[in-house]
Amino acid sequence: GNSVTQMEGPVTLSEEAFLTINCTYTATGYPSLFWYVQYPGEGLQLLLKATKADDKGSNKGFEATYRKETTSFHLEKGSVQVSDSAVYFCALKIKAAGNKLTFGGGTRVLVKP
Amino acid sequence: GAGVSQSPRYKVAKRGQDVALRCDPISGHVSLFWYQQALGQGPEFLTYFQNEAQLDKSGLPSDRFFAERPEGSVSTLKIQRTQQEDSAVYLCASSLERGANTGELFFGEGSRLTVL
């Protein structure tokens, strides 16, 4: 089946620190990969995506590269801010398997000033 | 409003009661999804609508769960004879496209169901 595994949180960082959240996947087909973010009191929203191997998704200073050889899509940001405190979800979608997203368990990130 | 709206935001039910959760998607969005999110977990797919047609209900955990979208806009998720294991946040998401091909879903804030 299809599944997503991401590092457990919480991850606590100081402002301006480097953030990495690991995400690996198992898929029966060729997936598109996504990172969604949930800020406190808000719904999930798309942060970035990549649809084929070696693509790099980027948004708001975050980046993730689709690595087919390691089945990974790690999220990185070079200098985090307090406003980046949120729960981050890695997800995949396989068109041939329907239209649903398969999510990882989420990683809570807390950035302290 | 401009976003996906869900109601009620919080629902407490006694075991065995029926509940109905409502989702108002973004106007004009063709695709609508329901997800279940247990505490500390990621969202799990329940069902998918394209307009009024329910094209995938493979994630519904039992026949106590029923979803409808009769006019292709508002959707209702109904849970009959609620059990404690049904306690979760129920998320609704919509997408402009058929099949949500880009993968960009717009989520509501969810309805938190607690079954006592």
Side-chain angles (χ1 to χ4, degrees):
Chain A
N2 304 317
S3 66
V4 176
T5 302
Q6 54 183 112
M7 60 189 289
E8 290 190 19
V11 175
T12 303
L13 303 165
S14 296
E15 213 166 14
E16 299 184 1
F18 184 87
L19 170 67
T20 299
I21 304 176
N22 290 339
C23 171
T24 57
Y25 66 88
T26 303
T28 54
Y30 197 109
S32 296
L33 302 173
F34 307 85
W35 278 99
Y36 273 77
V37 58
Q38 185 172 29
Y39 298 105
E42 299 183 15
L44 279 80
Q45 56 187 273
L46 180 66
L47 180 60
L48 53 83
K49 68 178 184 181
T51 58
K52 61 183 187 295
D54 299 325
D55 269 2
K56 178 185 284 187
S58 61
N59 186 25
K60 298 182 179 181
F62 289 88
E63 293 184 340
T65 300
Y66 188 143
R67 300 290 189 199
K68 189 178 180 184
E69 64 275 15
T70 54
T71 62
S72 65
F73 193 53
H74 304 322
L75 183 68
E76 297 181 337
K77 186 173 184 180
S79 177
V80 294
Q81 304 300 313
V82 173
S83 57
D84 294 323
S85 298
V87 183
Y88 294 81
F89 294 92
C90 187
L92 67 81
K93 178 178 182 288
I94 297 179
K95 190 174 181 180
N99 303 298
K100 53 185 174 283
L101 288 168
T102 298
F103 286 89
T107 302
R108 182 175 298 277
V109 173
L110 177 60
V111 180
K112 295 186 173 180
Chain B
V4 177
S5 178
Q6 293 187 244
S7 61
R9 290 290 316 280
Y10 303 92
K11 175 68 179 179
V12 178
K14 292 182 179 179
R15 189 173 54 184
Q17 283 185 332
D18 297 348
V19 300
L21 307 176
R22 176 187 169 103
C23 173
D24 280 271
I26 294 173
S27 178
H29 277 201
V30 170
S31 296
L32 186 145
F33 299 79
W34 283 99
Y35 284 82
Q36 180 189 57
Q37 186 177 18
L39 187 63
Q41 304 294 317
E44 296 278 346
F45 170 80
L46 293 177
T47 187
Y48 160 63
F49 290 86
Q50 182 175 303
N51 295 309
E52 70 279 3
Q54 188 174 22
L55 299 187
D56 187 346
K57 53 182 181 179
S58 62
L60 296 176
S62 77
D63 59 6
R64 296 185 297 102
F65 286 71
F66 172 77
E68 60 183 5
R69 194 186 185 198
E71 297 179 357
S73 56
V74 171
S75 178
T76 303
L77 176 66
K78 297 179 180 178
I79 309 173
Q80 297 177 322
R81 304 180 304 281
T82 53
Q83 304 295 316
Q84 285 188 323
E85 61 263 29
D86 300 334
S87 296
V89 177
Y90 291 86
L91 301 174
C92 177
S94 68
S95 173
L96 182 60
E97 309 162 296
R98 286 182 172 78
N101 287 325
T102 64
E104 181 165 14
L105 301 185
F106 294 84
F107 282 82
E109 293 182 51
S111 292
R112 182 181 296 276
L113 172 65
T114 302
V115 181
L116 303 177

